[in-house]
PDB file of all heavy atoms in Angstrom:
ATOM      1  N   ILE B  30     118.136  69.379 -17.136  1.00  0.00           N
ATOM      2  CA  ILE B  30     118.227  68.299 -16.143  1.00  0.00           C
ATOM      3  C   ILE B  30     118.647  67.002 -16.928  1.00  0.00           C
ATOM      4  O   ILE B  30     118.271  66.735 -18.053  1.00  0.00           O
ATOM      5  CB  ILE B  30     116.828  68.019 -15.537  1.00  0.00           C
ATOM      6  CG1 ILE B  30     116.442  69.242 -14.701  1.00  0.00           C
ATOM      7  CG2 ILE B  30     116.971  66.725 -14.660  1.00  0.00           C
ATOM      8  CD1 ILE B  30     115.036  69.099 -14.161  1.00  0.00           C
ATOM      9  N   ALA B  31     119.696  66.341 -16.284  1.00  0.00           N
ATOM     10  CA  ALA B  31     120.113  65.099 -16.981  1.00  0.00           C
ATOM     11  C   ALA B  31     119.091  64.131 -16.990  1.00  0.00           C
ATOM     12  O   ALA B  31     118.262  63.945 -15.977  1.00  0.00           O
ATOM     13  CB  ALA B  31     121.304  64.581 -16.186  1.00  0.00           C
ATOM     14  N   ASP B  32     118.908  63.402 -17.995  1.00  0.00           N
ATOM     15  CA  ASP B  32     117.831  62.380 -18.211  1.00  0.00           C
ATOM     16  C   ASP B  32     118.369  61.163 -18.856  1.00  0.00           C
ATOM     17  O   ASP B  32     118.582  61.262 -19.976  1.00  0.00           O
ATOM     18  CB  ASP B  32     116.605  62.966 -18.891  1.00  0.00           C
ATOM     19  CG  ASP B  32     115.348  62.045 -18.898  1.00  0.00           C
ATOM     20  OD1 ASP B  32     115.587  60.846 -18.727  1.00  0.00           O
ATOM     21  OD2 ASP B  32     114.319  62.476 -19.023  1.00  0.00           O
ATOM     22  N   HIS B  33     118.552  60.093 -18.122  1.00  0.00           N
ATOM     23  CA  HIS B  33     119.275  59.068 -18.674  1.00  0.00           C
ATOM     24  C   HIS B  33     118.365  58.201 -19.568  1.00  0.00           C
ATOM     25  O   HIS B  33     118.810  57.230 -20.267  1.00  0.00           O
ATOM     26  CB  HIS B  33     119.782  58.084 -17.560  1.00  0.00           C
ATOM     27  CG  HIS B  33     120.800  58.834 -16.660  1.00  0.00           C
ATOM     28  ND1 HIS B  33     121.998  59.298 -17.203  1.00  0.00           N
ATOM     29  CD2 HIS B  33     120.764  59.232 -15.393  1.00  0.00           C
ATOM     30  CE1 HIS B  33     122.644  59.825 -16.183  1.00  0.00           C
ATOM     31  NE2 HIS B  33     121.881  59.861 -15.119  1.00  0.00           N
ATOM     32  N   SER B  34     117.114  58.494 -19.694  1.00  0.00           N
ATOM     33  CA  SER B  34     116.159  57.722 -20.623  1.00  0.00           C
ATOM     34  C   SER B  34     116.430  58.161 -21.997  1.00  0.00           C
ATOM     35  O   SER B  34     115.939  57.574 -22.921  1.00  0.00           O
ATOM     36  CB  SER B  34     114.799  57.905 -20.166  1.00  0.00           C
ATOM     37  OG  SER B  34     114.299  59.285 -20.380  1.00  0.00           O
ATOM     38  N   ILE B  35     117.115  59.335 -22.104  1.00  0.00           N
ATOM     39  CA  ILE B  35     117.466  59.811 -23.511  1.00  0.00           C
ATOM     40  C   ILE B  35     118.883  59.932 -23.747  1.00  0.00           C
ATOM     41  O   ILE B  35     119.488  60.929 -23.887  1.00  0.00           O
ATOM     42  CB  ILE B  35     116.736  61.208 -23.813  1.00  0.00           C
ATOM     43  CG1 ILE B  35     117.077  62.210 -22.657  1.00  0.00           C
ATOM     44  CG2 ILE B  35     115.239  61.068 -23.893  1.00  0.00           C
ATOM     45  CD1 ILE B  35     116.768  63.628 -23.065  1.00  0.00           C
ATOM     46  N   ASN B  36     119.484  58.633 -23.567  1.00  0.00           N
ATOM     47  CA  ASN B  36     121.001  58.674 -23.514  1.00  0.00           C
ATOM     48  C   ASN B  36     121.608  58.872 -24.910  1.00  0.00           C
ATOM     49  O   ASN B  36     122.767  58.746 -25.065  1.00  0.00           O
ATOM     50  CB  ASN B  36     121.466  57.417 -22.923  1.00  0.00           C
ATOM     51  CG  ASN B  36     120.864  56.159 -23.650  1.00  0.00           C
ATOM     52  OD1 ASN B  36     120.357  56.273 -24.766  1.00  0.00           O
ATOM     53  ND2 ASN B  36     120.935  55.036 -23.076  1.00  0.00           N
ATOM     54  N   GLY B  37     120.767  59.166 -25.913  1.00  0.00           N
ATOM     55  CA  GLY B  37     121.357  59.513 -27.188  1.00  0.00           C
ATOM     56  C   GLY B  37     121.774  58.225 -27.957  1.00  0.00           C
ATOM     57  O   GLY B  37     122.406  58.347 -29.050  1.00  0.00           O
ATOM     58  N   GLN B  38     121.531  57.015 -27.393  1.00  0.00           N
ATOM     59  CA  GLN B  38     121.939  55.808 -28.176  1.00  0.00           C
ATOM     60  C   GLN B  38     120.905  55.604 -29.311  1.00  0.00           C
ATOM     61  O   GLN B  38     119.751  55.841 -29.176  1.00  0.00           O
ATOM     62  CB  GLN B  38     121.962  54.627 -27.320  1.00  0.00           C
ATOM     63  CG  GLN B  38     123.091  54.636 -26.266  1.00  0.00           C
ATOM     64  CD  GLN B  38     123.031  53.418 -25.351  1.00  0.00           C
ATOM     65  OE1 GLN B  38     122.081  52.716 -25.456  1.00  0.00           O
ATOM     66  NE2 GLN B  38     124.034  53.345 -24.436  1.00  0.00           N
ATOM     67  N   THR B  39     121.440  55.108 -30.372  1.00  0.00           N
ATOM     68  CA  THR B  39     120.662  54.808 -31.488  1.00  0.00           C
ATOM     69  C   THR B  39     119.711  53.699 -31.229  1.00  0.00           C
ATOM     70  O   THR B  39     120.080  52.687 -30.618  1.00  0.00           O
ATOM     71  CB  THR B  39     121.525  54.370 -32.701  1.00  0.00           C
ATOM     72  OG1 THR B  39     122.520  55.524 -32.992  1.00  0.00           O
ATOM     73  CG2 THR B  39     120.718  54.248 -33.958  1.00  0.00           C
ATOM     74  N   ARG B  40     118.479  53.841 -31.570  1.00  0.00           N
ATOM     75  CA  ARG B  40     117.463  52.765 -31.338  1.00  0.00           C
ATOM     76  C   ARG B  40     116.743  52.633 -32.713  1.00  0.00           C
ATOM     77  O   ARG B  40     116.209  53.508 -33.247  1.00  0.00           O
ATOM     78  CB  ARG B  40     116.489  53.243 -30.237  1.00  0.00           C
ATOM     79  CG  ARG B  40     117.114  53.123 -28.836  1.00  0.00           C
ATOM     80  CD  ARG B  40     116.101  53.436 -27.788  1.00  0.00           C
ATOM     81  NE  ARG B  40     115.038  52.436 -27.759  1.00  0.00           N
ATOM     82  CZ  ARG B  40     113.901  52.622 -26.995  1.00  0.00           C
ATOM     83  NH1 ARG B  40     113.735  53.598 -26.283  1.00  0.00           N
ATOM     84  NH2 ARG B  40     112.994  51.667 -27.057  1.00  0.00           N
ATOM     85  N   ALA B  41     116.670  51.410 -33.059  1.00  0.00           N
ATOM     86  CA  ALA B  41     115.817  51.037 -34.241  1.00  0.00           C
ATOM     87  C   ALA B  41     116.135  51.931 -35.450  1.00  0.00           C
ATOM     88  O   ALA B  41     115.191  52.427 -36.057  1.00  0.00           O
ATOM     89  CB  ALA B  41     114.357  50.955 -33.930  1.00  0.00           C
ATOM     90  N   GLY B  42     117.301  52.298 -35.629  1.00  0.00           N
ATOM     91  CA  GLY B  42     117.690  53.089 -36.839  1.00  0.00           C
ATOM     92  C   GLY B  42     117.518  54.617 -36.725  1.00  0.00           C
ATOM     93  O   GLY B  42     117.787  55.357 -37.579  1.00  0.00           O
ATOM     94  N   ALA B  43     117.056  55.021 -35.453  1.00  0.00           N
ATOM     95  CA  ALA B  43     116.888  56.462 -35.252  1.00  0.00           C
ATOM     96  C   ALA B  43     118.257  57.003 -34.974  1.00  0.00           C
ATOM     97  O   ALA B  43     119.110  56.426 -34.294  1.00  0.00           O
ATOM     98  CB  ALA B  43     115.919  56.728 -34.106  1.00  0.00           C
ATOM     99  N   PRO B  44     118.435  58.376 -35.422  1.00  0.00           N
ATOM    100  CA  PRO B  44     119.708  58.920 -35.132  1.00  0.00           C
ATOM    101  C   PRO B  44     119.960  59.195 -33.764  1.00  0.00           C
ATOM    102  O   PRO B  44     118.981  59.541 -33.075  1.00  0.00           O
ATOM    103  CB  PRO B  44     119.631  60.267 -36.016  1.00  0.00           C
ATOM    104  CG  PRO B  44     118.174  60.504 -36.184  1.00  0.00           C
ATOM    105  CD  PRO B  44     117.512  59.174 -36.202  1.00  0.00           C
ATOM    106  N   ALA B  45     121.247  59.125 -33.344  1.00  0.00           N
ATOM    107  CA  ALA B  45     121.537  59.491 -31.950  1.00  0.00           C
ATOM    108  C   ALA B  45     121.436  60.958 -31.813  1.00  0.00           C
ATOM    109  O   ALA B  45     121.615  61.627 -32.774  1.00  0.00           O
ATOM    110  CB  ALA B  45     122.905  58.979 -31.612  1.00  0.00           C
ATOM    111  N   ILE B  46     121.256  61.356 -30.522  1.00  0.00           N
ATOM    112  CA  ILE B  46     121.368  62.843 -30.328  1.00  0.00           C
ATOM    113  C   ILE B  46     122.787  63.256 -30.124  1.00  0.00           C
ATOM    114  O   ILE B  46     123.513  62.845 -29.171  1.00  0.00           O
ATOM    115  CB  ILE B  46     120.522  63.165 -29.054  1.00  0.00           C
ATOM    116  CG1 ILE B  46     119.028  62.872 -29.181  1.00  0.00           C
ATOM    117  CG2 ILE B  46     120.643  64.686 -28.700  1.00  0.00           C
ATOM    118  CD1 ILE B  46     118.182  63.127 -27.984  1.00  0.00           C
ATOM    119  N   ALA B  47     123.321  64.020 -31.079  1.00  0.00           N
ATOM    120  CA  ALA B  47     124.684  64.398 -31.005  1.00  0.00           C
ATOM    121  C   ALA B  47     124.674  66.011 -30.851  1.00  0.00           C
ATOM    122  O   ALA B  47     124.834  66.666 -31.767  1.00  0.00           O
ATOM    123  CB  ALA B  47     125.434  64.044 -32.261  1.00  0.00           C
ATOM    124  N   ALA B  48     124.393  66.451 -29.688  1.00  0.00           N
ATOM    125  CA  ALA B  48     124.251  67.850 -29.403  1.00  0.00           C
ATOM    126  C   ALA B  48     125.095  68.214 -28.258  1.00  0.00           C
ATOM    127  O   ALA B  48     125.572  67.370 -27.452  1.00  0.00           O
ATOM    128  CB  ALA B  48     122.737  68.213 -29.078  1.00  0.00           C
ATOM    129  N   VAL B  49     125.392  69.534 -28.129  1.00  0.00           N
ATOM    130  CA  VAL B  49     126.213  70.060 -27.017  1.00  0.00           C
ATOM    131  C   VAL B  49     125.582  69.696 -25.750  1.00  0.00           C
ATOM    132  O   VAL B  49     126.172  69.259 -24.732  1.00  0.00           O
ATOM    133  CB  VAL B  49     126.474  71.562 -27.152  1.00  0.00           C
ATOM    134  CG1 VAL B  49     127.173  72.112 -25.979  1.00  0.00           C
ATOM    135  CG2 VAL B  49     127.164  71.863 -28.508  1.00  0.00           C
ATOM    136  N   HIS B  50     124.238  69.900 -25.694  1.00  0.00           N
ATOM    137  CA  HIS B  50     123.526  69.715 -24.432  1.00  0.00           C
ATOM    138  C   HIS B  50     122.415  68.696 -24.696  1.00  0.00           C
ATOM    139  O   HIS B  50     121.603  68.876 -25.635  1.00  0.00           O
ATOM    140  CB  HIS B  50     122.825  71.047 -23.885  1.00  0.00           C
ATOM    141  CG  HIS B  50     123.761  72.161 -23.602  1.00  0.00           C
ATOM    142  ND1 HIS B  50     124.646  72.204 -22.562  1.00  0.00           N
ATOM    143  CD2 HIS B  50     124.004  73.232 -24.380  1.00  0.00           C
ATOM    144  CE1 HIS B  50     125.297  73.276 -22.571  1.00  0.00           C
ATOM    145  NE2 HIS B  50     124.999  73.951 -23.770  1.00  0.00           N
ATOM    146  N   VAL B  51     122.399  67.690 -23.837  1.00  0.00           N
ATOM    147  CA  VAL B  51     121.380  66.502 -24.068  1.00  0.00           C
ATOM    148  C   VAL B  51     120.661  66.502 -22.687  1.00  0.00           C
ATOM    149  O   VAL B  51     121.355  66.199 -21.647  1.00  0.00           O
ATOM    150  CB  VAL B  51     121.944  65.252 -24.475  1.00  0.00           C
ATOM    151  CG1 VAL B  51     120.837  64.270 -24.505  1.00  0.00           C
ATOM    152  CG2 VAL B  51     122.593  65.437 -25.906  1.00  0.00           C
ATOM    153  N   GLY B  52     119.339  66.655 -22.569  1.00  0.00           N
ATOM    154  CA  GLY B  52     118.719  66.463 -21.284  1.00  0.00           C
ATOM    155  C   GLY B  52     117.224  66.912 -21.362  1.00  0.00           C
ATOM    156  O   GLY B  52     116.649  66.726 -22.354  1.00  0.00           O
ATOM    157  N   GLU B  53     116.833  67.504 -20.233  1.00  0.00           N
ATOM    158  CA  GLU B  53     115.333  67.783 -20.162  1.00  0.00           C
ATOM    159  C   GLU B  53     115.249  69.289 -19.640  1.00  0.00           C
ATOM    160  O   GLU B  53     115.795  69.678 -18.699  1.00  0.00           O
ATOM    161  CB  GLU B  53     114.739  66.835 -19.129  1.00  0.00           C
ATOM    162  CG  GLU B  53     113.209  66.990 -19.055  1.00  0.00           C
ATOM    163  CD  GLU B  53     112.643  66.069 -18.008  1.00  0.00           C
ATOM    164  OE1 GLU B  53     113.366  65.668 -17.093  1.00  0.00           O
ATOM    165  OE2 GLU B  53     111.439  65.673 -18.138  1.00  0.00           O
TER     166      GLU B  53
END
Side-chain angles (χ1 to χ4, degrees):
Chain B
I30 295 172
D32 187 333
H33 300 295
S34 68
I35 51 164
N36 57 16
Q38 290 178 355
T39 304
R40 289 183 62 184
I46 297 179
V49 176
H50 302 286
V51 177
E53 187 180 27

